[in-house]
Amino acid sequence: MFLLDEEGNQDESLESKTLSAEDQVKDHSTGTRVVAGQIFLESGKSDSQSENEENFHSQEEEKENSLEELNSLEMSNLLNKDLEEAEVQSPALTAIGGTADGEPCHFPFLFMEKEYAECTADGREDGRLWCATTYDYKKDQKWGFCESEEQSNKRRQMQEAEDVYQIGMKILNESSKKAQKKVAYQYLLKAADMNHTKAMEKVSYALLFGDYLKQNIQSSKELFEKLTEEGSPKGQMALGFLYASGLGVNSSQAKALVYYTFGALGGNLIAHMILGYRYWAGIGVLQSCESALTHYRLVANHVASDISLTGGTVVQRIRLADEVENPGMASGMLEEDLIQYYQFLAEKGDVQAQVGLGQLHLHGGRGVEQNHQRAFEYFNQAANAGNSHAMAFLGKMYSEGSDVVPQSNETALQYFKKAADMGNPVGQSGLGMAYLYGRGVPVNYELALKYFQKAAEQGWVDGQLQLGSMYYNGIGVKKDYKQALKYFNLASQGGHILAFYNLAQMHATGTGVMRSCHTAVELFKNVCERGRWSERLMTAYNSYKDGDSNSAVVQYLLLAEQGYEVAQSNAAFILDQKEASIVGENETYPRALLHWNRAASQGYTVARIKLGDYHFYGFGTDVDYETAFIHYRLASEQQHSAQAMFNLGYMHEKGLGIKQDIHLAKRFYDMAAEASPDAQVPVFLALCKLGVIYSLQYIREINIREVFSHIDMDQLLGPEWDLYLMTIIALLLGTIIAYRQRQHQAIPRPAGLRPAVPQQEPPPEHQPPQ
């Protein structure tokens, strides 16, 4: 694709600078180059290229640091060598037509008192690119085109498509309204029809997920195939996903693996993440921890480099099964009424509400969209009231800078100092960062260490992380990997993503700890799952809540491919409920079983129990009591699930998949009651039934007549047992007679003579429970 440059915008103002009219042809911009007589359309960097650059950003920084250590002579030699290689590799540009057909272009050339180092459209009304074959065009009048007419037409179409694409992207990025975003996608749709690669990528994913366009799996598949033919890594990854999930095509894990591999080779991070998970779990490939480590580390490098001082957006992981089965349980989302209540408190001057809302808007999450403007306003209000936490967060916002808050080390330093003087750990950590990197103050490692220690002592994760980094790198202190490991572990307990990343690097390289590939992969996986693509978890959840189960299940399926356990369980849940019409009725249970299995492998208890249920009842597979028993036992032993224990008790009671054993059944029932208070009522009923069954079984096994013949009442109840029995019977008869006589004596009065007695409510202790 092509980006408009400054020269392209100036063409209309230079109509007077024309060459011969008969030589003018159709429009063409400066986005082409001629190599050995052939014209190649130059495009802007693709997503995959930019992603590769970002992925290897840290390597490039290391390279730059090593270059800085070279002396000036070595640097000069390197540069001269690079220049010589560039000159050797630089192809000659050949003029087409004009007055110097076939002659090489001369760069730079002089035209209208200006030197040009590349082909230009200046001086032509049609905008077609040309070059001079001698230095002074005015003197020699030797020139030729840099493109053929066919290429000119193609480039003009691509420029038009780029213009439409840019309009669509501008509307999409600047508007938060759904109606405006739909308008933006109409522009992108038009650009995609004109074969604009980036537009096709946007539209194909929108059709796949139903984002602002009507969901159409078949149309998205056709676009993905077209993109794959053009070598688009995004298209290759998406086509791999379709084959993996069987959407719009017959499921083929082999084809999925091929497309994922090509996508990863093209630099697509999601493809790398999918391959990392597949090698880690052994899905469609031989399980290989080292291969998984390679893919996950590459993605983690990119995610870690994208983390700012203020942190990224908060990822809200909501389980649909938990929401349905435990409707009273908090999902972590804030209700709109509750948010409005906090806003009301903030407006009334409640400082804690102001700070809380500021943090919510700064990071986003819990149903609140990220909004730096509102975060800044709330922090400002709280800081003016003297809140140290708000001052510290204002310092972080000024230190980082954004569209709302201009970057200012001086202002950040002022806020950090005020907060630190009040003993605030966030302010102390910010002040430590200022001294560590010299932001607004001279670099002072001793002061940085001091402030980080103060923040870490109060449990602030940023202080712990930076303290660990100083020990790891030996900055201001003696290098100590054990201390670094200690502080990274503390920061990771607070959920800091960079702490996970640093721990992963230490375990991957065996620095300060025994090398553990498995631990490193798990830590890197955790980092990768905090990337920006995790925002689709909330998008999928919102789609499900809006009643669009088809859109939700496709989004969850893609995230499930990336290894998100919560997405695997949510996709399985939607399929289990048969709410997704895009999946055939005969395929829902087998696919749900697959994703329950993957979620269970990552330690989700409900998924493990679901696997037992599917094998017990024969959903998506054959009835297999032994396999069901194994899954229930795993859930019982590993996660101490009361439900699994109860199910094991039932299977022991009935002898399903295991030898019947009433004693073991009672044991498991008792364990279930101890594991969860919710299980006590069903366990009581099950034990009652078990007692009846046990009694009947005992009675069947003995001869009743023999039992009664061996009973001696004189020994059991005493010699006067018959007198006791007669006394009891007499008492019972007397009680019945007395009760009946009292009923006959209570003659009701006529209605008109009944005194009015005011109704009184029973005292509170006797009121029935509501």
Side-chain angles (χ1 to χ4, degrees):
M1 69 213 58
F2 301 87
L3 295 172
L4 293 177
D5 55 15
E6 292 179 0
E7 291 181 1
N9 293 330
Q10 295 171 354
D11 287 347
E12 292 181 0
S13 62
L14 298 170
E15 291 179 0
S16 58
K17 302 177 185 178
T18 58
L19 298 177
S20 54
E22 63 272 14
D23 293 326
Q24 295 179 2
V25 291
K26 296 181 180 179
D27 180 41
H28 208 303
S29 77
T30 58
T32 58
R33 58 192 174 90
V34 183
V35 182
Q38 295 183 358
I39 299 175
F40 297 88
L41 295 179
E42 289 195 1
S43 63
K45 286 188 287 187
S46 68
D47 277 354
S48 62
Q49 289 172 323
S50 63
E51 286 174 353
N52 272 330
E53 290 175 2
E54 290 172 346
N55 288 340
F56 298 104
H57 182 64
S58 57
Q59 288 92 327
E60 290 298 322
E61 287 181 345
E62 292 173 6
K63 185 179 176 182
E64 288 172 9
N65 292 335
S66 63
L67 287 173
E68 286 174 4
E69 294 173 3
L70 295 173
N71 59 41
S72 58
L73 180 61
E74 290 172 328
M75 181 66 75
S76 176
N77 291 338
L78 282 171
L79 291 173
N80 289 336
K81 185 178 179 182
D82 288 343
L83 288 171
E84 287 172 7
E85 289 177 356
E87 286 175 5
V88 170
Q89 294 173 359
S90 178
L93 301 178
T94 306
I96 301 172
T99 59
D101 184 32
E103 294 183 17
C105 293
H106 188 285
F107 296 113
F109 64 87
L110 186 67
F111 173 67
M112 300 292 288
E113 308 294 327
K114 180 181 175 182
E115 282 193 346
Y116 293 85
E118 58 184 359
C119 296
T120 181
D122 287 359
R124 295 193 62 84
E125 291 180 354
D126 59 7
R128 189 170 174 183
L129 296 176
W130 65 277
C131 68
T133 56
T134 60
Y135 175 74
D136 192 339
Y137 166 76
K138 185 176 181 181
K139 176 184 174 184
D140 301 317
Q141 296 288 312
K142 302 282 284 183
W143 68 277
F145 291 113
C146 296
E147 60 188 354
S148 68
E149 188 173 349
E150 182 183 349
Q151 291 162 338
S152 174
N153 292 337
K154 185 177 179 182
R155 181 169 57 83
R156 185 175 60 183
Q157 290 172 359
M158 291 304 292
Q159 273 192 329
E160 186 182 347
E162 175 66 18
D163 292 341
V164 175
Y165 171 76
Q166 291 296 343
I167 292 170
M169 289 304 297
K170 186 179 180 183
I171 298 171
L172 192 64
N173 293 329
E174 292 179 357
S175 177
S176 59
K177 294 181 180 179
K178 194 172 182 179
Q180 286 294 313
K181 289 184 181 289
K182 286 184 176 181
V183 171
Y185 268 96
Q186 291 306 312
Y187 281 102
L188 295 176
L189 206 56
K190 184 179 177 183
D193 290 339
M194 299 164 74
N195 295 324
H196 190 284
T197 305
K198 275 188 171 292
M200 285 195 291
E201 289 174 348
K202 279 278 188 186
V203 168
S204 57
Y205 277 94
L207 290 169
L208 178 65
F209 299 133
D211 289 343
Y212 310 109
L213 291 174
K214 188 178 179 182
Q215 190 176 30
N216 190 324
I217 304 293
Q218 195 60 36
S219 296
S220 68
K221 186 203 81 163
E222 291 169 3
L223 279 173
F224 287 139
E225 287 175 340
K226 192 172 182 180
L227 286 166
T228 299
E229 289 173 5
E230 294 180 5
S232 166
K234 280 189 176 180
Q236 291 163 340
M237 184 280 294
L239 203 55
F241 163 66
L242 293 182
Y243 276 107
S245 55
L247 294 173
V249 293
N250 291 327
S251 180
S252 170
Q253 297 303 320
K255 286 184 178 180
L257 184 63
V258 170
Y259 285 119
Y260 283 149
T261 304
F262 278 118
L265 290 172
N268 186 271
L269 294 174
I270 293 177
H272 274 295
M273 195 171 166
I274 291 171
L275 287 175
Y277 174 67
R278 288 192 160 227
Y279 278 109
W280 182 63
I283 299 171
V285 292
L286 286 174
Q287 197 167 11
S288 170
C289 184
E290 294 299 332
S291 297
L293 181 64
T294 302
H295 289 289
Y296 271 130
R297 177 151 48 184
L298 192 147
V299 181
N301 289 340
H302 172 81
V303 174
S305 68
D306 199 34
I307 300 299
S308 64
L309 181 64
T310 55
T313 55
V314 176
V315 180
Q316 200 70 38
R317 306 187 184 208
I318 304 168
R319 299 184 191 279
L320 300 179
D322 290 349
E323 270 203 344
V324 172
E325 293 179 15
N326 304 298
M329 190 180 69
S331 65
M333 301 292 289
L334 290 176
E335 297 291 337
E336 184 63 31
D337 292 344
L338 191 57
I339 295 170
Q340 289 178 1
Y341 173 68
Y342 285 132
Q343 288 173 345
F344 172 76
L345 290 177
E347 289 170 6
K348 291 295 182 182
D350 188 306
V351 176
Q352 294 303 320
Q354 290 167 349
V355 173
L357 285 170
Q359 288 180 276
L360 275 175
H361 283 100
L362 179 64
H363 300 115
R366 302 194 70 183
V368 179
E369 286 189 6
Q370 194 174 27
N371 188 325
H372 282 192
Q373 179 65 48
R374 301 201 71 178
F376 180 74
E377 290 169 0
Y378 283 123
F379 285 141
N380 240 334
Q381 291 172 19
N384 291 336
N387 184 275
S388 62
H389 215 61
M391 293 175 188
F393 273 97
L394 280 174
K396 290 180 81 170
M397 292 187 76
Y398 274 109
S399 179
E400 187 68 26
S402 65
D403 295 337
V404 176
V405 182
Q407 202 282 332
S408 173
N409 288 331
E410 291 73 20
T411 310
L413 194 64
Q414 290 174 11
Y415 280 115
F416 284 144
K417 279 183 176 177
K418 285 181 182 178
D421 290 342
M422 297 170 73
N424 184 276
V426 185
Q428 291 166 345
S429 178
L431 210 51
M433 294 287 285
Y435 282 112
L436 181 64
Y437 295 107
R439 295 172 181 170
V441 290
V443 172
N444 189 325
Y445 294 139
E446 289 183 9
L447 282 176
L449 184 70
K450 171 189 166 184
Y451 283 114
F452 287 142
Q453 284 174 334
K454 285 184 175 181
E457 285 168 6
Q458 296 188 63
W460 182 241
V461 289
D462 281 342
Q464 294 165 342
L465 175 77
Q466 296 303 330
L467 204 54
S469 296
M470 292 186 79
Y471 278 111
Y472 183 85
N473 296 306
I475 299 173
V477 289
K478 186 180 178 181
K479 191 176 286 188
D480 188 336
Y481 291 131
K482 290 196 180 299
Q483 284 291 326
L485 188 70
K486 169 190 167 183
Y487 285 111
F488 287 150
N489 272 319
L490 286 170
S492 69
Q493 288 169 18
H496 202 300
I497 186 171
L498 291 179
F500 288 116
Y501 176 77
N502 291 337
L503 284 172
Q505 293 284 23
M506 292 182 78
H507 282 94
T509 56
T511 306
V513 290
M514 286 289 290
R515 186 180 187 275
S516 172
C517 176
H518 184 79
T519 305
V521 167
E522 288 191 333
L523 289 165
F524 275 134
K525 181 176 182 289
N526 195 322
V527 175
C528 294
E529 290 182 359
R530 300 279 287 277
R532 293 195 178 276
W533 39 79
S534 61
E535 293 172 9
R536 190 158 286 282
L537 281 169
M538 275 308 300
T539 310
Y541 174 76
N542 290 330
S543 295
Y544 181 76
K545 282 297 180 184
D546 291 340
D548 192 352
S549 297
N550 285 336
S551 174
V553 78
V554 173
Q555 293 177 78
Y556 278 133
L557 285 171
L558 177 57
L559 291 164
E561 280 289 299
Q562 292 172 245
Y564 286 89
E565 177 270 307
V566 68
Q568 292 167 348
S569 58
N570 285 352
F573 174 80
I574 295 173
L575 292 168
D576 179 80
Q577 299 296 308
K578 296 190 175 181
E579 295 176 336
S581 60
I582 58 170
V583 179
E585 190 173 345
N586 295 330
E587 299 176 12
T588 52
Y589 281 137
R591 292 192 187 188
L593 179 65
L594 171 71
H595 289 290
W596 284 130
N597 193 25
R598 292 181 183 179
S601 299
Q602 298 198 59
Y604 184 40
T605 310
V606 173
R608 180 66 67 187
I609 295 170
K610 281 286 187 181
L611 283 177
D613 292 345
Y614 273 48
H615 285 95
F616 187 91
Y617 295 108
F619 293 159
T621 183
D622 295 330
V623 173
D624 188 342
Y625 294 131
E626 291 181 3
T627 305
F629 182 85
I630 290 168
H631 286 299
Y632 290 142
R633 190 177 64 189
L634 285 171
S636 168
E637 292 173 355
Q638 295 175 1
Q639 286 99 17
H640 306 289
S641 166
Q643 178 69 58
M645 293 171 186
F646 186 90
N647 293 351
L648 286 171
Y650 180 81
M651 294 185 80
H652 276 292
E653 178 189 330
K654 296 292 185 182
L656 300 171
I658 194 75
K659 184 181 178 182
Q660 188 177 25
D661 191 326
I662 290 178
H663 299 288
L664 271 177
K666 183 181 183 305
R667 181 185 171 191
F668 277 111
Y669 283 142
D670 289 337
M671 288 169 61
E674 290 173 8
S676 172
D678 295 337
Q680 289 177 357
V681 173
V683 164
F684 173 75
L685 296 174
L687 287 175
C688 289
K689 184 185 75 169
L690 198 64
V692 172
I693 293 171
Y694 182 76
S695 301
L696 292 173
Q697 188 176 350
Y698 178 76
I699 290 169
R700 278 200 302 268
E701 290 174 357
I702 62 172
N703 191 322
I704 297 175
R705 286 185 180 181
E706 287 183 7
V707 171
F708 280 108
S709 66
H710 287 89
I711 292 176
D712 188 345
M713 298 299 288
D714 288 341
Q715 287 183 355
L716 188 66
L717 299 174
E720 290 86 12
W721 66 269
D722 52 345
L723 295 175
Y724 299 148
L725 182 60
M726 290 172 65
T727 304
I728 292 169
I729 293 170
L731 287 172
L732 285 173
L733 286 170
T735 303
I736 293 168
I737 292 167
Y739 176 74
R740 290 181 64 82
Q741 283 180 347
R742 287 186 64 185
Q743 276 189 329
H744 287 295
Q745 288 173 0
I747 301 170
R749 298 183 183 182
L753 300 175
R754 185 177 301 166
V757 180
Q759 246 185 340
Q760 294 183 354
E761 291 183 3
E765 61 268 24
H766 299 302
Q767 287 185 1
Q770 297 294 321

